[in-house]
Each structure stands twice: as structure tokens, then as C-alpha cells.
């Protein structure tokens, strides 16, 4: 049976995620806290199997809570959750020690898979590893990935690189395929892990 601790400063998010998690098979207990200080104190007093930490664009609390918890408890299994287009927060949280991430709209099967993989291994299987671990991105693909890591839109990246937005999208699709990922957030997280962006 799996114990879960949810950390998010929005009550509606905590309540909504609790409802979803309570329907996940194998979850025996769900507790909630609102802030990083509470998270650290609660986990130290009563460790849990999985910690879910919410992230918000341009709000560092979730990322900071993750860093503090993992720094004090390296064994903590943290999954961050947030908007799929908020690559910056997700990547920063993963760089701070989170094992993986979930989208706000993750389905129940995705939640089950994330919990199972977090408990069974060192990371959530997202982003997936490319089939060829030696895959190389072109310089243009790296430039697009770096732009994504800075939270820039395809249009902004295109203007900086003197490319059309459609061309940026084409480069993005190619680098997604090479890295074996589904979206911008996964690509940036993977880029941080592999040292492609910093």
C-alpha cells in the first residue's frame, strides 16, 4: 500500500488531487500540506512513499520546496505536477531532485504508472530514453531546445533565430522524436538531465 503527501498552496488543487489519488488502486493514505516548511516538517516526522509537489509558472515555491525536501531527505520520491507548457518550472524541479513530473490533466492510468515506476525505480519513465542513446541534436535543434528551456514561445524562438514559426515547430518535432519525448516540458527536463541545457 502506498502513502502519498501532496504539497500545494492552493486548497482547490490539494482537494482535487486528493480526490483523484484516492481513486488510484493501492493508495492507502493521502495527506496534504500547503507550504514547503510544512512539507519538510511532515516528511521528517512521518516519511511517505511518494510526494507530489505542485508548480506554478513564475512562482518558485514548488521548486524551492522540492529542493529543500530532497536536500534534507535524498531518498524522498518527489513527483512535480504542473502545466505541460511550463517547461521552466518542471525542469528546475527535476534539476532540484524530483524524480519526474505529471501534467495537471494526467489520467488515472498515468497516475498509476507514475506511482508504480517511482516506487520501483529512480525515475518516472517520462521523458522516455531515446532508442539510440548516442543520438545527437543539430545545432539548430539545440538552439530551439535552449529557447524552450527559457520559457520562450515558438514565435519568440523564431524571431531570435530568424526562422518562421512553422520552421521552429518542425525543429521541435524532430528533437522530440530524437529524445523520445511528447512535449516541450519533457524535452526541457530531458535536456537538463543530459546537460544539453543549463
Amino acid at each position: 500500500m502506498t502513502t502519498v503527501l501532496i504539497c500545494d498552496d492552493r486548497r482547490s488543487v490539494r482537494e482535487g488531487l486528493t480526490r483523484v489519488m484516492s481513486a488510484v488502486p493501492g493508495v492507502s493514505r493521502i495527506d496534504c500540506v500547503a507550504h514547503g516548511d510544512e512539507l519538510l516538517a511532515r516528511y521528517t516526522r512521518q516519511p511517505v512513499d511518494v510526494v507530489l509537489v505542485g508548480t506554478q509558472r513564475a512562482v518558485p515555491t514548488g521548486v524551492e520546496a522540492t529542493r529543500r525536501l530532497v536536500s534534507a531527505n535524498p531518498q524522498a520520491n518527489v513527483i512535480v505536477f504542473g502545466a505541460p507548457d511550463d517547461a521552466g518550472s518542471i525542469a528546475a524541479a527535476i534539476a532540484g531532485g524530483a524524480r519526474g513530473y505529471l501534467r495537471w490533466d494526467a489520467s488515472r492510468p498515468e497516475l498509476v504508472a507514475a506511482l508504480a515506476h517511482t516506487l520501483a525505480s529512480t525515475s518516472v519513465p517520462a521523458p522516455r530514453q531515446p532508442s539510440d542513446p548516442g543520438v545527437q541534436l543539430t545545432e539548430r535543434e539545440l538552439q530551439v531546445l535552449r529557447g524552450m528551456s527559457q520559457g520562450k514561445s515558438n514565435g519568440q524562438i523564431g524571431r531570435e533565430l530568424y526562422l518562421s514559426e512553422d520552421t521552429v515547430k518542425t525543429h521541435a518535432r524532430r528533437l522530440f522524436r530524437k529524445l523520445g519525448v511528447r512535449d516541450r516540458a519533457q524535452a526541457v527536463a530531458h535536456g537538463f538531465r543530459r546537460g544539453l541545457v543549463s
Side-chain angles (χ1 to χ4, degrees):
M1 301 300 282
T2 303
T3 54
V4 177
L5 179 58
I6 297 168
C7 178
D8 194 284
D9 58 7
R10 295 158 293 184
R11 181 177 178 179
S12 60
V13 171
R14 295 195 305 271
E15 292 177 347
L17 200 54
T18 297
R19 282 194 299 272
V20 174
M21 292 302 300
S22 64
V24 174
V27 173
S28 61
R29 191 182 82 239
I30 303 167
D31 292 319
C32 295
V33 295
H35 305 290
D37 289 341
E38 292 178 84
L39 174 63
L40 192 55
R42 178 73 64 87
Y43 188 93
T44 301
R45 187 170 67 250
Q46 189 174 26
V48 296
D49 296 313
V50 177
V51 179
L52 298 178
V53 178
T55 61
Q56 301 176 64
R57 193 187 315 278
V59 179
T61 51
V63 173
E64 184 60 27
T66 298
R67 284 196 187 116
R68 289 180 60 197
L69 178 63
V70 175
S71 177
N73 303 274
Q75 78 283 3
N77 291 316
V78 180
I79 301 174
V80 294
F81 58 94
D85 61 348
D86 187 10
S89 295
I90 293 168
I94 288 175
R99 300 289 175 92
Y101 88 99
L102 289 167
R103 302 185 317 274
W104 288 118
D105 58 350
S107 65
R108 190 180 302 174
E110 287 173 319
L111 283 169
V112 172
L115 291 175
H117 283 281
T118 299
L119 295 172
S121 64
T122 58
S123 63
V124 176
R128 301 183 303 277
Q129 294 297 317
S131 55
D132 176 7
V135 67
Q136 295 293 317
L137 299 182
T138 66
E139 182 58 33
R140 191 62 90 189
E141 289 164 351
L142 281 171
Q143 290 170 335
V144 170
L145 181 60
R146 289 181 190 125
M148 290 177 179
S149 75
Q150 295 162 3
K152 295 174 182 173
S153 67
N154 289 338
Q156 290 173 311
I157 295 170
R159 285 191 292 276
E160 290 187 2
L161 299 179
Y162 302 100
L163 300 172
S164 71
E165 189 168 346
D166 284 341
T167 301
V168 172
K169 288 178 181 177
T170 297
H171 286 303
R173 282 194 297 269
R174 287 179 182 156
L175 73 89
F176 289 174
R177 189 166 56 249
K178 287 182 178 181
L179 296 178
V181 300
R182 293 190 302 268
D183 55 35
R184 290 169 66 103
Q186 288 188 353
V188 170
H190 198 103
F192 270 92
R193 283 177 172 154
R194 293 185 61 189
L196 300 175
V197 294
S198 59

